[in-house]
């Protein structure tokens, strides 16, 4: 993962302090309850997050017919997996998947702000919102991918997908070689949010 969009610890500490102050003020004003923030955090720890996307990717790797359905009608295919309620809400109303494969690599950005499929990827990282990333992702996606450690061959087409309020994209990465013996759960454990954004590849498990 590139360190181009990392932020120093002072920024993290300052942001955390602002959040605590805002939370305290909202509780004092009666806008939220004392347990409201914990409830939101619990939601993103257990209901909406990259573990959902990883499960979807693993199923698509195991079942080519499911992969075809996922690309053709992403919400309908996701509904087949009986995931937690709320997969079609909170930034997930209009999700769509695109698949990497021989000769094509997909990259997801949001040029406007930070539209992101929360139910399958969780909350967007800081760098996804960075104006530099958003602008360069459009202008020079190959350079951005190289800086993230994803060299793309000249013969490979790079497709950039711009997420918006109308549609939120995520990537079905290529299945790494040497994983034919793995179970669906073991495959899901290999999948990262970055791979589902197109800024990383899925690495094969280390040999024992």
């Amino acid at each position: 993962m590139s360190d181009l969009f990392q932020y120093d610890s002072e920024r993290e500490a300052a942001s955390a302090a602002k959040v605590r102050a805002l939370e305290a003020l909202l509780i004092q004003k009666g806008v939220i309850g004392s347990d409201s923030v914990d409830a939101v955090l619990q939601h993103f720890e257990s209901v909406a997050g990259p573990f959902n996307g990883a499960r979807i990717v693993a199923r698509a790797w195991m079942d080519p017919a499911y992969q075809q359905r996922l690309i053709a009608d992403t919400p309908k295919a996701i509904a087949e997996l009986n995931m937690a309620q709320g997969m079609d809400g909170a930034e997930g109303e209009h999700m769509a998947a695109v698949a990497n494969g021989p000769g094509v690599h997909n990259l997801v950005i949001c040029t406007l702000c930070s539209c992101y499929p929360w139910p399958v990827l969780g909350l967007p990282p800081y760098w996804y919102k960075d104006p530099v990333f958003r602008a360069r992702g459009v202008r020079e996606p190959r350079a951005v991918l190289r800086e993230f450690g994803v060299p793309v061959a000249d013969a490979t087409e790079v497709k950039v997908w711009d997420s918006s309020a109308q549609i939120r994209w995520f990537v079905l990465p290529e299945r790494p070689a040497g994983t034919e013996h793995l179970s669906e759960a073991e495959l899901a454990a290999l999948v990262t949010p970055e791979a589902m954004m197109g800024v990383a590849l899925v690495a094969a498990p280390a040999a024992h």
Side-chain angles (χ1 to χ4, degrees):
M1 181 54 58
S2 172
D3 61 358
L4 294 175
F5 305 104
Q6 295 296 318
Y7 297 97
D8 59 37
S9 58
E10 291 184 2
R11 170 170 176 157
E12 294 292 323
S15 296
K18 291 177 183 177
V19 169
R20 289 193 297 270
L22 179 59
E23 179 186 4
L25 179 61
L26 292 174
I27 292 173
Q28 179 183 346
K29 297 292 185 180
V31 177
I32 63 174
S34 58
D35 60 347
S36 297
V37 173
D38 288 341
V40 172
L41 292 176
Q42 177 65 25
H43 178 80
F44 285 103
E45 289 175 353
S46 60
V47 178
F51 42 83
N52 290 325
R55 180 182 169 193
I56 294 165
V57 170
R59 174 63 60 87
W61 284 346
M62 295 285 286
D63 185 347
Y66 179 78
Q67 177 174 332
Q68 291 180 356
R69 296 195 299 275
L70 180 67
I71 299 302
D73 189 335
T74 301
K76 185 176 180 180
I78 290 175
E80 294 180 28
L81 301 185
N82 296 318
M83 291 186 169
Q85 293 182 351
M87 287 295 293
D88 59 350
E91 300 283 323
E93 295 86 351
H94 308 290
M95 293 187 291
V98 289
N100 287 348
V104 61
H105 184 91
N106 297 284
L107 173 65
V108 175
I109 62 172
C110 175
T111 55
L112 180 63
C113 53
S114 58
C115 293
Y116 198 71
W118 292 3
V120 296
L121 294 187
L123 297 175
Y126 274 137
W127 55 262
Y128 184 77
K129 309 173 189 179
D130 191 294
V132 175
F133 171 76
R134 298 188 340 236
R136 292 188 62 217
V138 174
R139 294 198 313 266
E140 46 183 359
R142 291 176 184 274
V144 169
L145 288 170
R146 282 196 303 271
E147 291 162 9
F148 273 90
V150 183
V152 179
D154 292 341
T156 297
E157 179 184 9
V158 175
K159 294 183 178 181
V160 179
W161 302 88
D162 191 3
S163 282
S164 67
Q166 285 69 46
I167 189 165
R168 294 176 173 87
W169 300 95
F170 68 96
V171 175
L172 175 61
E174 282 194 272
R175 180 173 179 170
T179 59
E180 295 77 11
H181 62 291
L182 298 183
S183 68
E184 189 170 316
E186 290 170 329
L187 287 171
L190 301 177
V191 182
T192 65
E194 292 79 15
M196 292 183 284
M197 300 167 69
V199 296
L201 303 178
V202 178
H208 296 291

